[in-house]
Amino acid sequence: MLELAAAFGYCLLSAIVIVLPAEVYLLAVALVSDVPAVWLALAGAVGQVAGKMLYYLLGRGVLDLAHLRKRSTAKGRWVDGMDRVEAWCRRHVWGPSLVTAVSAFAGVPPYALVSVLAGTVRMRWWLFALISVAGRWLRFWAVMTVPHLLPDTLFGL
């Protein structure tokens, strides 16, 4: 139970401080504990989405996005790419859901940016949270399960 609470807390923090790798932490915990990977992945996913809701609220305007945009140093391809993704999402009703699902699982486009985008295009918060938890759960579960599926001699494990 302590491992699940720690996984939730670490993943919540890693959602806000994006340089902390949730996958590495969860994989390490899965390797040294007896907690099933499916539950660690769920705790991590819920923690990540709870943290990313702050980014979602930035996009919704609940938090001050204008102040952050003025201070932003982001330029170039990523900004242009996200502008195109936002325009595409505004043209397709199901666009925000699809982009959120792909990003939550694959991390491309970056999940932090998609979290802001989901708020900006007025995606319903509960739909964003539901799709995000499912995508993050699948991602984390895959990261923790794949090493167990590989042959023992592959990496000398």
Side-chain angles (χ1 to χ4, degrees):
M1 196 64 164
L2 182 60
E3 290 95 343
L4 294 176
F8 172 86
Y10 183 89
C11 289
L12 182 130
L13 184 62
S14 76
I16 298 165
V17 182
I18 56 178
V19 297
L20 300 174
E23 294 84 357
V24 173
Y25 174 82
L26 291 171
L27 180 59
V29 171
L31 291 173
V32 299
S33 78
D34 294 329
V35 177
V38 67
W39 295 113
L40 280 173
L42 184 59
V46 172
Q48 275 264 302
V49 174
K52 291 302 183 199
M53 287 306 288
L54 292 175
Y55 288 82
Y56 174 87
L57 292 172
L58 281 171
R60 281 300 280 238
V62 174
L63 301 175
D64 190 9
L65 183 61
H67 175 70
L68 287 179
R69 282 191 176 170
K70 277 193 263 179
R71 296 187 52 182
S72 174
T73 59
K75 293 179 177 58
R77 288 183 10 199
W78 275 111
V79 173
D80 295 341
M82 287 309 294
D83 287 344
R84 284 193 303 274
V85 169
E86 181 178 353
W88 185 83
C89 284
R90 289 188 187 282
R91 287 192 311 272
H92 300 89
V93 171
W94 45 267
S97 297
L98 179 63
V99 171
T100 299
V102 169
S103 179
F105 177 73
V108 176
Y111 184 52
L113 295 178
V114 169
S115 299
V116 175
L117 173 72
T120 302
V121 298
R122 301 286 194 214
M123 184 177 183
R124 291 192 169 116
W125 72 267
W126 59 266
L127 184 59
F128 169 74
L130 183 69
I131 292 170
S132 292
V133 167
R136 286 276 117 167
W137 175 77
L138 284 170
R139 176 186 180 92
F140 295 156
W141 181 75
V143 164
M144 289 183 279
T145 303
V146 167
H148 297 292
L149 300 177
L150 298 173
D152 289 339
T153 58
L154 187 61
F155 295 110
L157 299 173

